[in-house]
Amino acid sequence: MTRPSEVTRERITKAAERLFAERGYDGTSIRAIVAKARVNQAAINYHFDGKDGLYREVLRAAFRAMTEDQLAHAEEAKAMSREDALRAFIRRQLHPLMGRDEYSRYMRIFNWEAVRPTPVFRALVSEEAAPFMGLAANLVRRFLPGADPRTVTVASIWLIGQCSVFLRNREQLAQSPIGLVLDDAAVEWLAGLIGGWLVGGLGRQA
Amino acid sequence: MTRPSEVTRERITKAAERLFAERGYDGTSIRAIVAKARVNQAAINYHFDGKDGLYREVLRAAFRAMTEDQLAHAEEAKAMSREDALRAFIRRQLHPLMGRDEYSRYMRIFNWEAVRPTPVFRALVSEEAAPFMGLAANLVRRFLPGADPRTVTVASIWLIGQCSVFLRNREQLAQSPIGLVLDDAAVEWLAGLIGGWLVGGLGRQA
DNA sequence: CCGATTTTCAAACCTTCGTTTGAATTCCCA
DNA sequence: TGGGAATTCAAACGAAGGTTTGAAAATCGG
């Protein structure tokens, strides 16, 4: 692996990540990225095979960062009770709320995709979402044994959605009217709250 | 007022409203609008003084449609108890949830603006939001007499935000996992729910 | 029905976009 | 250290964007 070219790649992805988060895919030009990264314009085509390829790389990194924590603890969950596993899932799902602003950028990118998904995003999700969705589905099945696949899918999406409300609107919630700043303790409290509701709701349906 | 030219203007605004809602401001081209409206390309510059002017007109119509109902009932509210006035405010705020899909388009446009506000939107809000915000502020002051202006502003935004969650995510909420279809009765029920929370919350602070 | 005004139209203009090109430079291992 | 591969670079290309233009057509009051 050649060193200097890795530097170029990294400078491009860092600059692109920031600009895509701020202005969205269409609002970000190749020329703006290379100016911020202080790199030649053709470098994006050389290293990433075009703007789409670069965006795909940024999306992939964001997606991985948001799911790797869950996937890493998949085995532990099996040994826990379904209630504890669910609460642990929720807590990890809310984990990006604490700490680095790297996650804020990722959430902004996903917010852009929520308004109007790009083809790149659709393709990536259909490839990479499977293992993560499988995790949620396994959890759901412990509460709804014997449920048909369609019900499991729906319940999994619903489960993930419970947390994404807080993830998606983190910036707005933290601002003036609400001022919901979530430190470690607050996230723990929030996770307990949501976890309780979900255990109650899913338990009742079983 | 000349008739035929009004037809042209209306065809343009109708087509533009749909395209802006679907693809956002940047994603919508002049050429796409005139093709959908079956109108000459220069007509947009002639009638609206450019793309910005057209977008401004569409935004203004959307803004008016979403606030006119509240403003029309401003006088009635003064004769009601603060609790009833608050509940009526909430109910009217949720009103777009029922009925015409014209409102869905308006909400989609506002969703685009929520991710990254355009200069046109910022300017329009600073001009047209004042009377509507004043309405909410009056309501808040009945619960928080003697509160400083800043607190009133914050509380007003918070009050409006309680409803916008349901308005903004209407389409997603109606879809598969949640299936929250809000007919007249459901909106009435939801308004009572939110109204109760707010009366409780604000009442306690007074 | 005339003549001034308003409105439409096709074409071109200029800018910005993503991508391509081919030469120049740097890198790295044999 | 020399030579082939990898990487950088400035320039240009073609497509698509918003706007402008000036003439043709339609409109409408008198």
Side-chain angles (χ1 to χ4, degrees), chain B residues 14 16 62 75 103 116 146 167:
Chain B
K14 284 293 167 225
E75 282 307 313
Y103 286 115
R116 173 157 244 251
L167 295 172

mmCIF file of all heavy atoms in Angstrom, chain B residues 14 16 62 75 103 116 146 167:
data_model
loop_
_atom_site.group_PDB
_atom_site.id
_atom_site.type_symbol
_atom_site.label_atom_id
_atom_site.label_comp_id
_atom_site.label_asym_id
_atom_site.label_seq_id
_atom_site.Cartn_x
_atom_site.Cartn_y
_atom_site.Cartn_z
ATOM 1 N N LYS B 14 -48.593 25.770 -10.299
ATOM 2 C CA LYS B 14 -49.038 24.405 -9.987
ATOM 3 C C LYS B 14 -47.933 23.394 -10.278
ATOM 4 O O LYS B 14 -47.638 22.516 -9.473
ATOM 5 C CB LYS B 14 -50.297 24.057 -10.800
ATOM 6 C CG LYS B 14 -51.581 24.698 -10.300
ATOM 7 C CD LYS B 14 -52.000 24.170 -8.941
ATOM 8 C CE LYS B 14 -53.101 25.018 -8.298
ATOM 9 N NZ LYS B 14 -52.838 25.307 -6.873
ATOM 10 N N ALA B 16 -44.737 24.010 -10.591
ATOM 11 C CA ALA B 16 -43.574 24.259 -9.738
ATOM 12 C C ALA B 16 -43.799 23.711 -8.333
ATOM 13 O O ALA B 16 -42.900 23.108 -7.744
ATOM 14 C CB ALA B 16 -43.291 25.757 -9.684
ATOM 15 N N ALA B 62 -47.769 28.429 0.292
ATOM 16 C CA ALA B 62 -47.732 27.336 1.258
ATOM 17 C C ALA B 62 -47.834 27.870 2.679
ATOM 18 O O ALA B 62 -48.615 27.387 3.499
ATOM 19 C CB ALA B 62 -46.445 26.533 1.083
ATOM 20 N N GLU B 75 -59.694 36.169 17.023
ATOM 21 C CA GLU B 75 -60.593 36.912 17.907
ATOM 22 C C GLU B 75 -61.376 35.987 18.840
ATOM 23 O O GLU B 75 -61.467 36.232 20.040
ATOM 24 C CB GLU B 75 -61.571 37.751 17.067
ATOM 25 C CG GLU B 75 -60.959 39.028 16.513
ATOM 26 C CD GLU B 75 -60.313 39.876 17.614
ATOM 27 O OE1 GLU B 75 -60.946 40.082 18.669
ATOM 28 O OE2 GLU B 75 -59.164 40.315 17.426
ATOM 29 N N TYR B 103 -51.711 19.791 1.134
ATOM 30 C CA TYR B 103 -50.938 20.042 2.345
ATOM 31 C C TYR B 103 -49.717 19.138 2.440
ATOM 32 O O TYR B 103 -48.693 19.535 2.986
ATOM 33 C CB TYR B 103 -51.823 19.860 3.579
ATOM 34 C CG TYR B 103 -52.801 20.996 3.776
ATOM 35 C CD1 TYR B 103 -54.168 20.790 3.692
ATOM 36 C CD2 TYR B 103 -52.345 22.283 4.050
ATOM 37 C CE1 TYR B 103 -55.068 21.833 3.878
ATOM 38 C CE2 TYR B 103 -53.235 23.328 4.233
ATOM 39 C CZ TYR B 103 -54.591 23.102 4.144
ATOM 40 O OH TYR B 103 -55.466 24.124 4.317
ATOM 41 N N ARG B 116 -31.891 22.197 4.980
ATOM 42 C CA ARG B 116 -31.007 23.339 4.694
ATOM 43 C C ARG B 116 -31.842 24.486 4.150
ATOM 44 O O ARG B 116 -32.212 24.493 2.976
ATOM 45 C CB ARG B 116 -29.927 22.942 3.687
ATOM 46 C CG ARG B 116 -29.080 24.106 3.217
ATOM 47 C CD ARG B 116 -27.744 23.663 2.692
ATOM 48 N NE ARG B 116 -26.698 24.198 3.542
ATOM 49 C CZ ARG B 116 -25.882 25.173 3.148
ATOM 50 N NH1 ARG B 116 -25.986 25.670 1.955
ATOM 51 N NH2 ARG B 116 -24.951 25.627 3.950
ATOM 52 N N GLY B 146 -46.349 37.689 33.106
ATOM 53 C CA GLY B 146 -45.165 38.310 33.670
ATOM 54 C C GLY B 146 -43.852 37.671 33.241
ATOM 55 O O GLY B 146 -42.795 38.073 33.716
ATOM 56 N N LEU B 167 -46.976 16.820 11.888
ATOM 57 C CA LEU B 167 -47.166 17.358 10.549
ATOM 58 C C LEU B 167 -46.016 16.958 9.637
ATOM 59 O O LEU B 167 -46.217 16.529 8.507
ATOM 60 C CB LEU B 167 -47.270 18.886 10.613
ATOM 61 C CG LEU B 167 -48.490 19.434 11.355
ATOM 62 C CD1 LEU B 167 -48.380 20.948 11.510
ATOM 63 C CD2 LEU B 167 -49.773 19.082 10.626
#
